[in-house]
Amino acid sequence: PTALLVLGIQQIHVGQDMIGKISAAGQLMQCSASLDVLFLLDGSYSIGKGSFERSKHFAGKLCDALDIHPDRVRVGMIQFSSTPHLEFPLNSYLTKQEVKERIKRTVFRGGSTETGQALKYILHKGFPGGRNSSVPEVLIIISDGKSQGSTAMPAMQVKERHITVFAVGIKFPRWEELHVLASEPPERHLLFAGDADDAANGLYSTLGDTVCAATTPGCKVESHPCERRTLETVKEVAGNYVCWKGSKQPNAVQASLCPFIRWKQVLIKHPSRCFRTVCPDPCDSQPCQNGGTCVPEGLDRYHCLCLLGYGGDVHCAAKLSLECGVDLLFLMDSSAGVTLEGFLRFKAFLKRFLQAVVGQDSPRSVGVAQYDDDVRIRIELGQHKDAFRLMKSIDALNFSGGRTLTGRALQYIAQHGFRSTPVFADVQDDLPRVVVLLTDSKSQDSVAEAAKYAKDQNLFLIGIGSSFMRAELTTVTGNPQQTIVYSDPQDLFNRMPELQRKICSVGSSEGCQAQSLDLAFAVDASSGVGLENFLRLRHFVRSSCLHLVINRDVTQIALVIYGSKAHTVFALDTHTSSSAVLQAIDQVPFLGGSASAGSALLHVYSDVMAVQKGARPGVNKAVVLLTSGGGLQDAAAPAQQLRHNGILVFVVVIGDTERDTLLRVAGSPTYLVHISSYEDLQYYQGLIIERICEEAGSPVNLCKPNPCMNQGVCILGPGGYHCQCHGWEGPHCETRVVRGDSPRSPGLPPRSHVQWSPRGLQHFSRALQHSKRQ
């Protein structure tokens, strides 16, 4: 069991979840009965000004648990030290805010602690400003209990008048004296001011049974073991020392051992019980699925902290899915080189990944093998028909040790991992076959020939391992895009979405396929990058274009380079084939000078993503900003302007840059790719193109960015849009209106009255560009 620590003076021995429920209930409950409440505050020197201020704060917090109103709860206050002093009677302030403000203004008086005198004052005067005796009276004494005189008799007389007395300890209280002051039973009427929410709960728990309104449905008062402490000064024998004493013999003394006494402060424990109201919180029903952690927010709200791969809804539903059809076999390294810790890490990753992607119905085409000197297929493809049995089989995998023979394992899996047997009679033979290799140990045999053999058998290989395995994994897969490396154990779990994308990219053509896209690269060519790294950036753009189908109807590419100023290398409609784009990229010059990413993004917005520059209405648009991190200070506003006009902004930064600055430009971590070095650029082409293509499938607002020229207003209509022109005409307000009776261009209807479909606009845009070039 854990304990709720309150300045070391009071401990309630309950579990951590119970502590949260007690605290939440204390904050939400309120006493709404007809009730006269009188605070009796100890203002003596033994309390001191600091503890007196804490007493005032506590009294104010208790007022939050009281429904203060002329017809319900009324509050008054007396401060006592050498003599009692009425701070304000019960009929002075009739709203909660007024009472709390007056308590704050109460001034510490100082003096001796005459608690008995204060109680006699109440016996003589009653509750100042109180109502008739039919209204229950509650006295809340806040004191350290160190009274100068006896309190037993006046305390007993007060209680005989049917006044309910709560004794609240402050600082280091004398609990025995507070026991004498409190009503019976004392464990229900003793509180500690160190935790106001807990004390409010204790006050309500006691009054709720008899005076206040009934407790909230589902809430109940429970007794918990409780320990209170007080600081006392005691004397102890520290040892003996030689002292001189008189002797019966005249004129003589004798040496003797005398005890040496010293004083020290000790905490004296007072075991008891505390009664607190406990209410069910929304996490009691365990609403979070798939290992999510429920975090209560009061008594009626909560949120779930989801494991990676989950969060498809507020209750941590699976976010990933293997909607693609594949035969999927995991090959796990179980050799001595990977160590038991590494094996268990891969096992946990495999289990969590499959839990996230398969949901309730396990795909019939998942298998698991492990290897060291030998290869063992632990779960045959299609062996399990439901997720539960699949997870049980993964739990049963054990570490074996041995040599790391990855090449032999790949050869074996290529021959035996996907055999057609009666078990697989209902599995389609034409599904892509994917092997996911999980290893963290360099192979002790050759992997190149085995990997080639596996690929000749039409196996698609994906390699997962820590960063020092990158070269070997790339040899296995034959492609850096099919290699996943992680930096630390948590980073491995962060790679789950990436693995899901790579598995489902099998058999699909690269690029954005039939989705139309206008894509602009803005490349940092400043001195901060340097010529050598600029050539790497240029090669990155070139390699990225190899993933795309470039023509007028699918993907159009534009390239902008920038230093202090931005320059268009080629516009969206300049090149209509991949070969022309690649040839143009090879000619891009290095600029040097300072960098201004902001001016580059403004240039893309005004001079690249415009209809007159080849941008196609009704087509998704994206900008990839490649930067070393220099000159980003002025980039946030133009990036936001691009996003506001429906243009995605992806930021690819190489090197160290302040993350807050990057996020302001990217707008979201989803659109930010942070790469540690220029050498690692080659490994991120596929990832960035994947993300761009994912976004390219989203719905398009035909009027963002505005396709109308010359301040024309774009107006959406069913299936298209039209431009409302002022002083101009044509579908995009591209032709100035000539005054007089000049004939209108043949075939063009009157301005502002034509609906245009996206496909028709593409043809018109091409015709417009052609006429401009002519």
Side-chain angles (χ1 to χ4, degrees):
T2 55
L4 172 60
L5 286 171
V6 185
L7 302 178
I9 305 303
Q10 175 175 279
Q11 293 180 339
I12 302 179
H13 295 276
V14 291
Q16 196 64 41
D17 59 336
M18 188 63 71
I19 292 169
K21 291 181 180 182
I22 290 172
S23 178
Q27 293 176 51
L28 295 177
M29 292 176 174
Q30 218 177 47
C31 187
S32 297
S34 291
L35 191 66
D36 283 351
V37 177
L38 182 63
F39 285 105
L40 192 59
L41 259 65
D42 187 343
S44 65
Y45 288 130
S46 69
I47 283 285
K49 192 170 188 312
S51 291
F52 183 74
E53 291 300 318
R54 283 193 289 277
S55 296
K56 286 164 50 180
H57 171 74
F58 172 76
K61 291 290 285 184
L62 280 195
C63 287
D64 291 331
L66 303 171
D67 186 9
I68 298 174
H69 185 274
D71 298 328
R72 292 186 285 277
V73 182
R74 296 187 183 184
V75 174
M77 179 180 283
I78 293 173
Q79 180 182 174
F80 72 94
S81 50
S82 303
T83 57
H85 174 79
L86 177 63
E87 296 291 346
F88 59 92
L90 284 94
N91 56 1
S92 291
Y93 304 103
L94 301 178
T95 69
K96 185 177 298 188
Q97 193 59 38
E98 289 175 343
V99 171
K100 291 177 71 172
E101 287 297 326
R102 177 60 183 84
I103 291 172
K104 284 182 185 178
R105 297 199 303 271
T106 304
V107 178
F108 176 65
R109 292 181 173 273
S112 58
T113 314
E114 298 289 349
T115 312
Q117 292 288 346
L119 293 174
K120 289 175 183 176
Y121 177 90
I122 292 169
L123 288 168
H124 179 63
K125 300 275 190 182
F127 274 35
R131 289 166 281 189
N132 58 45
S133 57
S134 64
V135 175
E137 296 177 324
V138 175
L139 179 65
I140 302 176
I141 305 171
I142 307 175
S143 171
D144 61 1
K146 298 173 183 176
S147 178
Q148 257 67 57
S150 173
T151 60
M153 183 58 71
M156 184 182 68
Q157 291 172 332
V158 166
K159 287 178 274 188
E160 284 176 349
R161 293 198 180 182
H162 305 293
I163 297 172
T164 303
V165 182
F166 286 88
V168 183
I170 190 76
K171 203 173 180 180
F172 291 100
R174 282 187 185 157
W175 291 105
E176 302 96 326
E177 224 175 283
L178 294 176
H179 265 264
V180 173
L181 296 174
S183 291
E184 293 290 335
E187 58 266 23
R188 279 185 172 264
H189 295 86
L190 273 177
L191 304 171
F192 181 65
D195 188 317
D197 289 331
D198 173 70
N201 187 315
L203 176 73
Y204 185 92
S205 299
T206 301
L207 294 178
D209 291 343
T210 54
V211 180
C212 302
T215 56
T216 308
C219 300
K220 57 184 177 181
V221 177
E222 294 182 356
S223 168
H224 305 288
C226 198
E227 187 177 271
R228 299 186 176 95
R229 301 176 181 182
T230 189
L231 194 66
E232 293 189 8
T233 304
V234 298
K235 66 179 180 179
E236 70 175 6
V237 178
N240 296 309
Y241 68 100
V242 177
C243 61
W244 298 95
K245 293 185 177 180
S247 172
K248 293 180 180 179
Q249 300 175 3
N251 302 319
V253 293
Q254 62 182 22
S256 179
L257 289 177
C258 298
F260 172 62
I261 304 297
R262 69 180 174 192
W263 297 87
K264 74 171 188 177
Q265 290 184 318
V266 294
L267 282 171
I268 307 297
K269 298 178 181 179
H270 301 270
S272 182
R273 299 199 71 79
C274 292
F275 289 82
R276 297 293 181 266
T277 298
V278 179
C279 297
D281 67 38
C283 290
D284 286 347
S285 62
Q286 299 180 328
C288 303
Q289 305 162 6
N290 300 308
T293 302
C294 183
V295 180
E297 298 172 354
L299 292 178
D300 57 351
R301 290 184 299 167
Y302 65 91
H303 68 273
C304 293
L305 297 176
C306 304
L307 295 174
L308 191 78
Y310 301 95
D313 64 11
V314 294
H315 296 123
C316 301
K319 187 165 58 176
L320 304 177
S321 64
L322 278 184
E323 295 173 352
C324 52
V326 294
D327 286 341
L328 179 60
L329 182 68
F330 288 89
L331 180 59
M332 291 176 60
D333 187 348
S334 182
S335 68
V338 80
T339 73
L340 174 61
E341 180 187 4
F343 175 78
L344 293 176
R345 183 185 308 137
F346 281 143
K347 182 174 159 181
F349 171 80
L350 173 61
K351 185 176 179 182
R352 194 185 296 181
F353 177 77
L354 289 177
Q355 281 176 323
V357 299
V358 304
Q360 295 302 311
D361 299 316
S362 172
R364 292 169 294 175
S365 51
V366 171
V368 179
Q370 64 182 96
Y371 73 94
D372 45 24
D373 296 88
D374 297 316
V375 186
R376 296 162 295 282
I377 299 178
R378 299 298 194 192
I379 303 172
E380 299 273 4
L381 278 169
Q383 179 178 339
H384 294 301
K385 304 298 184 186
D386 64 80
F388 177 75
R389 288 190 178 89
L390 178 63
M391 296 308 148
K392 292 284 283 185
S393 296
I394 293 173
D395 284 336
L397 298 176
N398 292 315
F399 179 64
S400 53
R403 293 180 297 163
T404 311
L405 301 182
T406 307
R408 181 179 176 180
L410 288 168
Q411 183 94 14
Y412 182 90
I413 290 300
Q415 293 172 341
H416 306 288
F418 297 88
R419 288 182 305 175
S420 293
T421 68
V423 176
F424 313 121
D426 57 349
V427 177
Q428 299 179 30
D429 291 332
D430 59 347
L431 288 177
R433 297 173 171 184
V434 181
V435 176
V436 179
L437 172 66
L438 298 133
T439 179
D440 257 345
S441 177
K442 293 286 181 69
S443 180
Q444 293 170 261
D445 64 350
S446 173
V447 297
E449 286 300 316
K452 182 177 184 303
Y453 176 77
K455 282 177 272 194
D456 288 343
Q457 307 306 308
N458 293 320
L459 300 189
F460 184 88
L461 302 179
I462 298 172
I464 300 177
S466 50
S467 52
F468 80 93
M469 292 292 298
R470 187 192 297 274
E472 184 172 303
L473 290 173
T474 302
T475 302
V476 170
T477 63
N479 183 352
Q481 304 305 318
Q482 291 163 225
T483 301
I484 298 174
V485 295
Y486 64 92
S487 56
D488 56 61
Q490 183 55 48
D491 189 43
L492 170 63
F493 290 93
N494 293 341
R495 302 290 177 159
M496 285 169 51
E498 187 178 350
L499 175 59
Q500 184 257 350
R501 284 197 300 270
K502 291 186 187 305
I503 291 171
C504 283
S505 69
V506 179
S508 64
S509 60
E510 291 184 319
C512 295
Q513 301 171 45
Q515 295 166 346
S516 298
L517 177 68
D518 284 345
L519 176 61
F521 289 93
V523 181
D524 189 343
S526 67
S527 300
V529 172
L531 176 58
E532 183 181 354
N533 290 330
F534 172 74
L535 295 177
R536 287 194 174 101
L537 291 177
R538 196 172 75 177
H539 178 73
F540 174 83
V541 174
R542 192 182 196 282
S543 300
S544 298
C545 291
L546 291 172
H547 291 259
L548 300 165
V549 180
I550 299 173
N551 61 46
R552 284 274 183 259
D553 294 311
V554 185
T555 303
Q556 291 190 150
I557 302 287
L559 178 59
V560 171
I561 56 174
Y562 70 92
S564 57
K565 292 184 178 179
H567 305 272
T568 302
V569 178
F570 51 84
L572 288 166
D573 62 346
T574 304
H575 300 298
T576 59
S577 68
S578 294
S579 58
V581 167
L582 298 178
Q583 188 175 355
I585 291 172
D586 289 337
Q587 309 302 317
V588 176
F590 176 65
L591 296 178
S594 59
S596 173
S599 64
L601 293 177
L602 279 174
H603 180 83
V604 168
Y605 176 73
S606 58
D607 288 2
V608 176
M609 293 296 181
V611 170
Q612 59 268 40
K613 300 291 184 179
R616 295 167 293 175
V619 172
N620 276 294
K621 293 170 173 53
V623 182
V624 177
L625 177 68
L626 291 162
T627 173
S628 64
L632 286 174
Q633 294 78 11
D634 61 346
Q640 181 58 38
Q641 186 177 9
L642 284 162
R643 283 191 293 273
H644 180 70
N645 283 277
I647 302 168
L648 291 167
V649 180
F650 289 86
V651 179
V652 181
V653 63
I654 302 96
D656 294 329
T657 305
E658 189 180 339
R659 186 168 175 82
D660 288 347
T661 303
L662 296 174
L663 285 173
R664 281 196 294 273
V665 180
S668 162
T670 306
Y671 305 113
L672 174 63
V673 179
H674 202 159
I675 303 173
S676 57
S677 67
Y678 286 90
E679 290 79 5
D680 289 343
L681 262 173
Q682 58 181 314
Y683 304 119
Y684 287 85
Q685 294 152 5
L687 173 66
I688 292 165
I689 295 299
E690 278 177 23
R691 289 188 182 176
I692 291 171
C693 292
E694 284 172 11
E695 298 293 341
S698 59
V700 181
N701 184 335
L702 296 175
C703 286
K704 283 191 173 185
N706 186 2
C708 307
M709 304 183 220
N710 303 307
Q711 286 78 51
V713 178
C714 179
I715 298 175
L716 286 171
Y721 71 90
H722 68 268
C723 289
Q724 193 172 68
C725 310
H726 302 282
W728 300 77
E729 61 183 1
H732 296 96
C733 308
E734 69 278 6
T735 306
R736 186 183 291 277
V737 174
V738 181
R739 296 186 181 279
D741 296 322
S742 296
R744 192 182 297 277
S745 298
L748 281 180
R751 65 180 184 274
S752 306
H753 296 295
V754 180
Q755 297 288 340
W756 300 88
S757 71
R759 178 62 62 183
L761 284 167
Q762 290 184 30
H763 289 300
F764 181 84
S765 182
R766 272 182 240 133
L768 178 65
Q769 297 301 319
H770 178 74
S771 64
K772 281 168 51 186
R773 283 193 287 274
Q774 292 297 322

